[in-house]
Amino acid sequence: MRTLIVLRGAPGAGKSTWIKKNHLEEYTLCLDTIRNMMVSPRMNHEKGFLDISFKQDSKAWQLLFELLEERMKEGELTVVDAVHSRPVDFSRYKALSEKYRYRLYCVDFSSVPIEEVFGRNINRPYYGTIDSIRDSLENIYARFKAFDIPSYFTALNPDDSIWDFLNQKPLDVSKYKKIVFIGDIHGCFNPLEKYFNEHPFSEENLYVFMGDYFDRGLQNDLVCEWLLNHYEMKNVMLLTGNHEKWFIAYAHDEYKNPDDCKSSEFINNTMPQLEKFKKKDLRQISRKFIQCAYLQFHEKTFICTHAGLGFMPTHLQCIATQEMIRGGKYDEDVDAWFEKNNCDENLYQIHGHRNLFNHPINKFKHSFNLNEAVEFGENLRIMEVE
């Protein structure tokens, strides 16, 4: 999920050990690894040792941020392992975090005493002499003292349990009378209107929408009007569907010409219906979109995503946002897999997006598919839990 963890500390401060201890190797981008991939260690002829080459340092940073942005596009949990001893090392992350809606953490190793770090470095394979190691560490620690970690990062100590911060606990929504889960709408307002005519909207209920509000239907404008009238309400949760990609880009003026959008459906059908709305209002709706809803309702727990999951992961934060929004192959039977893999009698999955197997809503005990192709004349699936 959309979380970036930046490590700050000198070489030998314990960053790599911390990564291994927390089983985060597969989620880590390491600047030194990239440097060594680009240029092998170089000879310091005068002082008589091999040294990490900083000849391509700017390119190494550039490559790290290219890799980071590719991961952020997918909503990947990512750790960046580098010294981060200058203000500019942090400011580079701010724009990306705002663009991709990331939470920022910094695990700060700068409090590890310099003598302790020095002792670790001279007792392990290292490119440098005793004097060069000490000079390098003194320079790094002087830079640490010169500035504080920016306030847009949540600062953590290495001894803090990172999983206490990352593990997403279910949100207790037991105060509501019932939860109403609403499937993919796809621009079809009539069935949604029919439901609320028969079951008037109430602040006593929680309404969780599975995503895919737009495209394919003929009433995208009416769906948008409903969202504009309700998105700010505390009892409305809007999951992100894969079709929201085009809506979000349009709302943020990313389509300077039609060729910028790869969806002919959105350009030719949906966008003309949305042109009467102000872009700033559409952006407000998009900011309410969430990647998943993890809810506790009395004794029952619900994991809600647009695409559905084949199993409940130990750590939700380790699952890429796009796994929740788009999933894997469309013909994967996530409902059958979730039913097979789930061992918790009180855990239930609700999702939309893919129903190639035409599962009825009550096919399984613990996984409920709310996609019935309403845009092709089928029903809008709505599930109530009291």
Side-chain angles (χ1 to χ4, degrees), residues 81-97:
D81 179 2
V83 173
H84 292 113
S85 63
R86 301 167 300 173
V88 68
D89 295 339
F90 287 90
S91 61
R92 299 177 186 185
Y93 299 108
K94 191 171 190 296
L96 283 175
S97 69

Side-chain angles (χ1 to χ4, degrees), residues 132-146:
S132 69
I133 292 171
R134 181 172 289 281
D135 289 344
S136 175
L137 291 178
E138 288 177 351
N139 288 332
I140 290 171
Y141 272 80
R143 292 197 296 270
F144 285 154
K145 292 179 181 179

Side-chain angles (χ1 to χ4, degrees), residues 30-286:
C30 178
L31 184 61
D32 277 346
T33 299
I34 294 173
R35 286 181 178 129
N36 286 328
M37 290 174 68
M38 298 180 71
V39 183
S40 60
R42 290 294 189 252
M43 296 179 68
N44 188 320
H45 296 277
E46 178 184 359
K47 297 186 177 180
F49 58 82
L50 291 172
D51 201 359
I52 294 177
S53 175
F54 291 87
K55 182 179 180 180
Q56 302 286 354
D57 201 49
S58 61
K59 288 186 178 180
W61 274 107
Q62 179 182 343
L63 180 55
L64 184 146
F65 274 90
E66 288 176 1
L67 294 171
L68 175 60
E69 184 159 15
E70 288 302 313
R71 293 180 63 87
M72 294 177 86
K73 287 177 183 177
E74 294 292 309
E76 304 270 4
L77 166 67
T78 304
V79 179
V80 178
D81 179 2
V83 173
H84 292 113
S85 63
R86 301 167 300 173
V88 68
D89 295 339
F90 287 90
S91 61
R92 299 177 186 185
Y93 299 108
K94 191 171 190 296
L96 283 175
S97 69
E98 292 172 350
K99 181 177 181 180
Y100 296 107
R101 299 171 63 189
Y102 261 65
R103 291 184 298 171
L104 298 177
Y105 295 90
C106 177
V107 182
D108 187 11
F109 293 79
S110 65
S111 61
V112 179
I114 188 172
E115 290 302 324
E116 182 177 338
V117 174
F118 176 73
R120 293 175 185 174
N121 280 303
I122 63 173
N123 290 316
R124 67 177 187 171
Y126 191 85
Y127 303 117
T129 65
I130 291 177
D131 289 340
S132 69
I133 292 171
R134 181 172 289 281
D135 289 344
S136 175
L137 291 178
E138 288 177 351
N139 288 332
I140 290 171
Y141 272 80
R143 292 197 296 270
F144 285 154
K145 292 179 181 179
F147 78 98
D148 295 324
I149 297 168
S151 59
Y152 47 85
F153 280 85
T154 298
L156 305 175
N157 294 315
D159 292 335
D160 292 332
S161 172
I162 190 64
W163 295 111
D164 286 346
F165 290 90
L166 295 186
N167 272 344
Q168 185 171 346
K169 296 178 175 60
L171 175 66
D172 192 340
V173 294
S174 301
K175 67 179 182 180
Y176 292 104
K177 183 178 179 180
K178 64 182 175 181
I179 307 178
V180 181
F181 300 98
I182 300 174
D184 303 15
I185 299 171
H186 276 300
C188 301
F189 181 69
N190 284 347
L192 183 67
E193 182 182 41
K194 181 176 184 293
Y195 173 79
F196 282 114
N197 284 338
E198 296 174 356
H199 308 82
F201 186 93
S202 171
E203 293 185 0
E204 293 183 344
N205 302 331
L206 174 65
Y207 299 91
V208 183
F209 289 77
M210 294 297 110
D212 276 5
Y213 311 97
F214 307 106
D215 289 347
R216 299 178 183 164
L218 302 177
Q219 300 172 308
N220 291 285
D221 53 341
L222 297 179
V223 172
C224 191
E225 285 181 5
W226 194 96
L227 293 176
L228 283 170
N229 290 328
H230 295 84
Y231 78 94
E232 289 186 298
M233 295 182 174
K234 293 181 179 180
N235 64 327
V236 173
M237 303 182 78
L238 303 176
L239 296 187
T240 310
N242 54 301
H243 283 262
E244 273 62 78
K245 174 181 179 180
W246 318 115
F247 174 84
I248 294 171
Y250 170 71
H252 287 81
D253 271 328
E254 293 182 19
Y255 299 148
K256 304 305 179 185
N257 59 73
D259 292 338
D260 293 337
C261 179
K262 305 304 180 185
S263 170
S264 59
E265 168 66 26
F266 185 86
I267 289 294
N268 297 326
N269 179 41
T270 305
M271 192 169 73
Q273 298 178 47
L274 299 179
E275 287 177 343
K276 66 181 181 181
F277 300 103
K278 295 179 180 179
K279 296 284 184 67
K280 67 175 183 179
D281 293 333
L282 302 185
R283 286 194 291 273
Q284 291 300 320
I285 295 175
S286 72

